[in-house]
Amino acid sequence: MKSAPDHRCGHVSFGIAGFGTYAPEKIVSAETLAQEANIPVEKLTIGIGMKHIHVANDDEHPFTMGLSAAKDALADAGIKGEDLDLVIFVSGGDYDYRNWCPSSAVAHALGCSHAYAFEVRNGCAGGNLACNIAGGLMERDASIVNALVICADTLSRIVSTKLEECHPLLYFGDGAAAVVLKRDHPRYQFLSFAEHTDGALGDLLKIEAGGTRLPITPDFNDWDKCYAKVDPEKFADLINRVYLKEYVDVIKLAVSRSGHEMKDMDYILMNQVKNSLRAHILEGIEMPQDHTYVSLIEFGHIGPADSLFTMAMAHREGLLPEGNLAILATSGMGFSWAASIIRC
């Protein structure tokens, strides 16, 4: 246990009481992706650092995967759906349907009779943000005791191996993670939060078709515009010029707000990025390279679920001893960065 006192942003103490995860059984290897994309497999295995991704079948969707992860988290927390006061559904990509509320569907499926349910979208930083929104609502509403945050995506469906503009995103996979947040819970308490957005990068990643500017009408046939595409040069410029500095800066700000110093931090849970970038981030905060959990190799990048998924895995493997300090760090399209400091 660190000797320095914790500083909490707000008067309410809340922590993670239960973890849940879900990954589809179907696996697509880096070799298969590379062959379909007609690129060297080393771009994925060495350049990115992945072996394969998990891909949803026709019966697996953000709602179904998120519901499975939610049930897992409830069981881990030892509570039932009727005990929930808040349900937040987070996704970086598409829901099962357009103009639909998966949070209320989950609440109904779990038997939540009095919970308030809503969605959060902040790219791959959404799960981190949603946990802090839940804490903020606990601050405002004393009746909120148990909150459920679910992150679920089928990002493999918005990427095509046939399009060169999708190749930087071929490590996008499918999966879900969920956490139960409990008022006054002694483990995994959220101490502080910091965030920043660079709006100049807002158009870096988007799907052109399906919105109001390019609706899918009966005569629509430009199906290439139904995938997420990036300009490889602009994407590389983001990484080299902006991404690393913003990631490190938001972590340092969150650490400062927690009442601690960077040297007090023991571990970091992150959204999954390529090997070289992860190494630079850890160097930037002077964290040993093995003080993070890497799920990229086996699962690829699964959107806002990444950081909570890796936290669940690290928790299950005993890598987060009680009393240690951990960083929950994320980034998302927009482009946004967010970090929380957690007392394990």
Side-chain angles (χ1 to χ4, degrees):
M1 182 76 71
K2 306 299 182 185
S3 58
D6 295 335
H7 290 182
R8 286 188 177 82
C9 296
H11 303 291
V12 171
S13 169
F14 69 100
I16 298 175
F19 293 94
T21 56
Y22 181 87
E25 290 187 7
K26 181 181 177 181
I27 288 174
V28 178
S29 69
E31 288 77 13
T32 297
L33 291 169
Q35 184 177 19
E36 292 179 358
N38 195 28
I39 60 173
V41 69
E42 291 78 13
K43 283 193 173 184
L44 301 177
T45 56
I46 298 175
I48 299 295
M50 59 163 286
K51 287 171 48 179
H52 51 245
I53 57 174
H54 290 246
V55 175
N57 62 35
D58 292 342
D59 296 322
E60 292 173 310
H61 304 278
F63 165 74
T64 61
M65 296 193 304
L67 181 60
S68 293
K71 290 178 178 178
D72 198 12
L74 289 176
D76 191 38
I79 66 172
K80 298 179 180 179
E82 62 193 41
D83 299 317
L84 291 172
D85 307 296
L86 191 66
V87 176
I88 306 177
F89 196 99
V90 184
S91 183
D94 293 329
Y95 300 142
D96 304 37
Y97 309 102
R98 293 175 60 201
N99 198 34
W100 185 63
C101 298
S103 63
S104 61
V106 169
H108 178 69
L110 293 176
C112 306
S113 58
H114 65 275
Y116 179 53
F118 61 94
E119 288 72 41
V120 166
R121 296 183 74 85
N122 189 222
C124 300
N128 199 349
L129 173 63
C131 289
N132 286 278
I133 291 174
L137 288 171
M138 288 181 183
E139 182 94 15
R140 292 279 185 170
D141 184 350
S143 71
I144 298 176
V145 176
N146 297 308
L148 174 67
V149 172
I150 304 165
C151 303
D153 270 295
T154 52
L155 296 183
S156 71
R157 291 173 175 160
I158 62 171
V159 176
S160 170
T161 56
K162 306 303 181 185
L163 299 175
E164 185 176 353
E165 300 97 321
C166 290
H167 290 177
L169 312 176
L170 290 179
Y171 66 110
F172 280 18
D174 306 332
V179 292
V180 171
L181 300 168
K182 190 176 184 67
R183 182 187 291 266
D184 296 326
H185 189 69
R187 292 291 316 266
Y188 301 116
Q189 292 189 350
F190 284 71
L191 305 182
S192 64
F193 182 64
E195 67 293 316
H196 179 66
T197 295
D198 185 341
L201 303 170
D203 285 338
L204 183 67
L205 179 64
K206 63 185 178 184
I207 297 175
E208 295 178 87
T212 60
R213 297 200 181 197
L214 185 59
I216 299 178
T217 58
D219 58 347
F220 181 85
N221 60 9
D222 199 352
W223 298 108
D224 286 357
K225 292 185 177 179
C226 293
Y227 295 99
K229 296 184 286 187
V230 297
D231 183 314
E233 292 185 3
K234 290 183 178 179
F235 195 64
D237 178 63
L238 163 69
I239 300 301
N240 297 330
R241 180 177 55 83
V242 180
Y243 188 95
L244 179 60
K245 179 182 183 302
E246 293 287 356
Y247 209 112
V248 171
D249 284 353
V250 81
I251 289 173
K252 290 181 177 179
L253 181 56
V255 170
S256 174
R257 289 176 176 175
S258 75
H260 296 282
E261 300 178 30
M262 192 63 68
K263 63 181 177 64
D264 300 326
M265 301 296 113
D266 299 294
Y267 208 81
I268 182 170
L269 295 314
M270 307 165 58
N271 55 310
Q272 298 300 288
V273 295
K274 66 179 184 178
N275 287 343
S276 59
L277 181 56
R278 181 179 64 251
H280 287 317
I281 292 170
L282 291 168
E283 289 170 4
I285 60 173
E286 299 182 348
M287 180 78 72
Q289 293 291 323
D290 61 348
H291 284 217
T292 190
Y293 197 98
V294 181
S295 60
L296 176 70
I297 301 169
E298 300 293 332
F299 298 95
H301 169 61
I302 54 175
D306 262 350
S307 57
L308 296 179
F309 192 97
T310 57
M311 189 175 183
M313 302 293 277
H315 163 74
R316 292 166 182 167
E317 295 181 23
L319 301 176
L320 302 172
E322 186 170 358
N324 277 15
L325 286 167
I327 303 165
L328 189 68
T330 51
S331 64
M333 62 183 183
F335 217 90
S336 297
W337 295 263
S340 298
I341 304 305
I342 296 174
R343 172 69 76 181
C344 299

